Amino acid sequence: MKTPAFSFIISLLALATPFSSSAQTTPGSKPISPDLFGIFFEDINYAADGGLYAELVQNRSFEYTPSDHGGWDPLTSWEYLHEGFAMGRVSVESVAPLHANNPHYVELRIENPFQKGLGLKNVGFDGIPVKAGEKYDFSLWARVKSGAAVPLLVQLRDAKGAVLAETTLPVPAADWQQYRATLVPSATAPDASLVVLATGKGVIDLDMVSLFPQKTFHNRPNGLRSDLAQTIADLKPKFVRFPGGCLTHGDGLENLYDWKNTVGPVEQRVAQRNIWDYHQTAGLGYFEYFQFCEDIGAKPLPVVAAGVSCQNSGGSWRIGSIGQQAIPMSEMAAYAQDVLDLVEWANGPVTSPWGAKRAAAGHPASFNLEYVGIGNEDKMTPEFRSRFTLIYNAVHAKYPNMKIVGTVGPGPKGEDYDLGWALASQLNVPLVDEHYYEKPKWFLSNNQRYDRYDRAKSKVYLGEYASQGNTLYNAIAEAAYMTSLERNGDVVSLASYAPLLAKEGHTQWNPDLIYFTNTTVVPTVNYYVQQLFGQNQGTEYVSDVVTMTTGAATDTTMAASCVRDATTGDVILKLVNAGSTAQPFKVNLSRFKGLNSAATRTTLAGDKEAKNTFASPQTVLPKTTAYKAAKNFTYTAEPYSLTVIRVRGRR
Ligand code: AHR
């Protein structure tokens, strides 16, 4: 983009001339990806269990182990209660489980319950947050092995032990069965606990002790926390990449993420260690991911491991590792079949074996899967290359229109980047997944990165990027870079910031886009940049609409883009000033036909170091006002600001 100097500044609201109208192809425009800005969801920082997944009971199926996290065991987050003079004992058993995939359960042996009974208390993930008058769905699986019946008293208690809600469940002598009840707390508490007490003599087994708010996102059973899900939905992402990240290729072959273990009845799913040092219940599994995508109007982008584990498997970067592990080639055909089955599960007719399973889960219609990722930042070893090629060829042969995303290492350059690109070119992989976490300065000085990319090669999915901080300056550097993604939306097809979510006190990676506790959600300044770009995506990029006094060459403290959304006809300008002084942007809209001068202007601006925090969650927020856009105008952008001007158009 050329950068002639313009010194005049006009009043923001001075010009209000209506434009003439007609719907035509815009001179100087090129089509760009309609899916450009999306999100990357990984269960890191308690993003899923204890986060987006609305289950309130921690370790509901007694499957925690020390390998999930040092010191954890099947009774972590549970307390044994024997109230009054109740006598008996609790033990963790695995002799005759509810399902082989869910091997542990608790046995309560009640010698004498006296008046109050004995049982267990769950303290949730940092407490169980409940609201007065709201409904909570309690359920558990139980089996009475001895005694005619063992009644259960179920309570919600506040931190001082006061009962907020209670119900009784008569559990007859019977094999495993699920029991349900609704609890309505009488008071709001951020840190309640769930109590299950056996009040009759006998022996009873318990498993899958669960509590969900009835109000989940879109009221889905086994659903998502509505405030967090809505915050994500408000980004207006065009796609969702999941389930990782490192979580996908896992810590050793035993820890690869296997999508088949995450679908079907929740009590039959396979929980496993989370590479980020905690536990995955798989309650938020592939069905829930796909359903969430549908609920927010985003395309699903599942990523499968490329037949190898993370190259850092077996330890940390510091203490050394056993490195990348590869599935034996003799087992790779079966592994590739699992990937083909995923496509059939998502898209196949209900008469197909896997389409039937999707239908049985409540979704007979296709999920319209268009994208599949293979691999994540993998080391480009011969083992990786052969396995990636095998999976790629299998998927491409059966589903030639599937947009397969390959991987090119963990950084913006280097050996894995070069080898990954070479492999992608050799195989004609439709897209490759680039990742980089760099300083703001890097984002400003690499604004031309994709201008130089060969349009004949694979397209780019910028699957993970962030500028290593949550200040306004970080966010503005990212905004400047995002204008370059729009400018290069013909070669960059998809882009997503990373990581998305982080729970206070359980964060393995900083910075993140959205911070939360059990009761609060704090979108960062970076979030609002993503939101402004997400809510203002276009289908064509129009060059030379904005000219600037500085920027472009090497250190882009000024950056701008202009896109047009063909569905509305709106023209959208993004003007970024990453410098410490106000700067003029000269805008020429004269080539657009049918624009209305009525526009909206949204600005994100403030102190360079400003952040949104739990103590001050609204330090920097976007502000929207009406704006009158002339055919030609100069806009003076505040220091450290992103301005989005949306001019109403016609289709
Ligand atoms: O986004 C956090 C991690 O960063 C991802 O799991 C991984 O792909 C990358 O190294």
Side-chain angles (χ1 to χ4, degrees), residues 40 42 44 241 245-247 276 376-377 435 437 464 498-499 509:
F40 163 46
E42 176 170 25
I44 183 173
R241 170 181 174 232
C246 292
L247 188 95
W276 297 107
N376 174 69
E377 297 190 350
H435 295 177
Y437 298 90
E464 296 180 26
W509 188 288

